[in-house]
Amino acid sequence: MVGTAAPPAKRVVIVDDSQTMRLWLAHVLNQDPRLEVVGQAANAAEARRTIRDLRPDVITLDIEMPGMDGLTFLERLMVRDPLPVVMVAGQTRQGSATAIRALSLGAVDCVMKPGNALDLKAQRSLVRQVYAAACSQVRPLQGTHQTVTAQFPAAQVGPQPLVLIGASTGGVTALERILRDLHPAGPPVAIVQHMPGPFLSSFAHMLNRNLPQMVGLMRDDAPMEAGQILLAPELGRDATVSRLSGRWVGHLTTSAQTAAHCPSIDALFTSAMPYAADVIGVILTGLGRDGARALQHLRAGGAHTIGQDAGTSVVYGMPRAAFELDAVTEQLPLDRIGPAINAAVADYLGGRGKMRVNTERAAR
């Protein structure tokens, strides 16, 4: 019996001014048969020539380089000749803030330079992120868009809805777009974005500067108020929610460590199951299946659920898994998800007090 041939390895170019880092990255990435390092460059000029000549599937790009820095090179690349980029950032606060800027400019993902080159967990994470980026779809860098101003009925006494969002690879730009479209005084939003802790903190600070809502990291046993957006911190604990006396409360709980990610989207969504009819659940771009099964249970319990479509997902993995489980009420392009959340909230506040259960299968 003739077996099916393995697909060709994804071609990687490494751009970093440190020869030691280039050698380490090449060694780690070449251990995975799905990846092949085909070229290296020490600066932006070399990178331009190498990318032009080799046409890789993905590049790793150092943020700090002599001459043209990584951010400037990334911005020009994404405007003129976009391709998947994984940024490599130092383990400093400034490095994390710059990494978040890189994701806003179109980088697919960011990794931190390892404190220990022999750290197998860091090596596995690097391979997973670079491979996911190589499988992603990117588009030319676009200008900013106009924020949608949502109209809600007057606030009512009684239970308020809760918005839950899960995202992974490509999630930074997706979340920026969606959150700008939400009503500033809308219901609380809890988010799990797969990302190292230092990057999450910088991401929360950036969102807090740029959005009218109050944005921060979730704290244990802290109330979640209207106009708040809370990101689950990476603390080795899962983010969960409960409702006490009509108020939403966030919790950080000991992880069961059964999921590939911690915090886990599944854990967040599952914790909201007792209140599903008061929940709007959203699954965005990302590799894998985290959140899909729990979103299915939320929908069955009466939640309004939304999945990002294939055409606008950087990696159509998690949304695909949710769609195939019939877990989404609506599957929408990115620019329609924020307005769809607003519409679901407006319906809820308009007097029904529960999400409308939609039993029809979502259209692609």
Side-chain angles (χ1 to χ4, degrees), residues 66-141:
M68 184 185 295
D69 63 85
L71 279 184
T72 303
F73 179 75
L74 172 68
E75 187 167 13
R76 294 183 181 181
L77 179 71
M78 297 309 293
V79 170
R80 298 172 182 172
D81 191 18
L83 80 161
V85 176
V86 175
M87 300 299 293
V88 181
Q91 295 192 17
T92 65
R93 182 173 180 178
Q94 180 58 41
S96 296
T98 307
I100 295 301
R101 174 61 180 156
L103 292 170
S104 296
L105 289 172
V108 173
D109 213 339
C110 279
V111 298
M112 301 188 78
K113 292 184 177 180
N116 176 7
L118 300 179
D119 185 341
L120 294 180
K121 182 179 178 181
Q123 293 181 19
R124 288 192 295 268
S125 179
L126 170 66
V127 168
R128 178 183 59 81
Q129 289 173 269
V130 172
Y131 180 73
C135 297
S136 68
Q137 54 182 355
V138 296
R139 297 171 184 79
L141 183 63

Side-chain angles (χ1 to χ4, degrees), residues 104-352:
S104 296
L105 289 172
V108 173
D109 213 339
C110 279
V111 298
M112 301 188 78
K113 292 184 177 180
N116 176 7
L118 300 179
D119 185 341
L120 294 180
K121 182 179 178 181
Q123 293 181 19
R124 288 192 295 268
S125 179
L126 170 66
V127 168
R128 178 183 59 81
Q129 289 173 269
V130 172
Y131 180 73
C135 297
S136 68
Q137 54 182 355
V138 296
R139 297 171 184 79
L141 183 63
Q142 302 292 326
T144 58
H145 77 290
Q146 294 295 318
T147 299
V148 174
T149 303
Q151 300 297 320
F152 286 169
Q156 299 179 355
V157 176
Q160 296 292 302
L162 175 67
V163 180
L164 302 178
I165 303 177
S168 189
T169 308
V172 165
T173 50
L175 286 167
E176 283 186 281
R177 176 62 196 261
I178 291 169
L179 297 177
R180 281 194 173 95
D181 285 341
L182 300 187
H183 194 289
V189 179
I191 299 170
V192 168
Q193 164 68 56
H194 296 156
M195 184 185 293
F199 293 160
L200 280 168
S201 182
S202 294
F203 186 34
H205 283 301
M206 185 194 72
L207 290 174
N208 196 50
R209 289 195 307 269
N210 296 337
L211 296 175
Q213 297 96 325
M214 293 180 61
V215 185
L217 300 180
M218 185 182 290
R219 294 180 293 114
D220 193 24
D221 297 333
M224 303 167 63
E225 309 289 354
Q228 276 191 334
I229 298 170
L230 298 172
L231 283 79
E234 187 192 58
L235 294 172
R237 292 191 284 175
D238 283 321
T240 61
V241 296
S242 66
R243 193 171 59 194
L244 301 174
S245 302
R247 299 182 70 188
W248 295 105
V249 180
H251 307 280
L252 301 176
T253 63
T254 301
S255 172
Q257 293 295 336
T258 56
H261 299 278
C262 181
S264 156
I265 302 169
D266 270 321
L268 176 66
F269 287 0
T270 297
S271 70
M273 268 298 302
Y275 330 103
D278 300 295
V279 168
I280 301 162
V282 184
I283 192 100
L284 301 177
T285 172
L287 184 69
R289 304 181 60 84
D290 192 17
R293 182 66 66 182
L295 193 70
Q296 180 190 36
H297 296 321
L298 278 177
R299 186 185 183 194
H304 188 94
T305 57
I306 300 169
Q308 188 174 353
D309 71 353
T312 61
S313 293
V314 172
V315 179
Y316 185 55
M318 299 187 320
R320 178 197 293 275
F323 179 86
E324 291 175 347
L325 289 172
D326 198 20
V328 296
T329 311
E330 304 178 272
Q331 184 167 244
L332 300 171
L334 186 59
D335 62 352
R336 291 177 55 195
I337 293 178
I341 294 172
N342 290 331
V345 172
D347 279 351
Y348 184 100
L349 297 178
R352 291 185 298 102

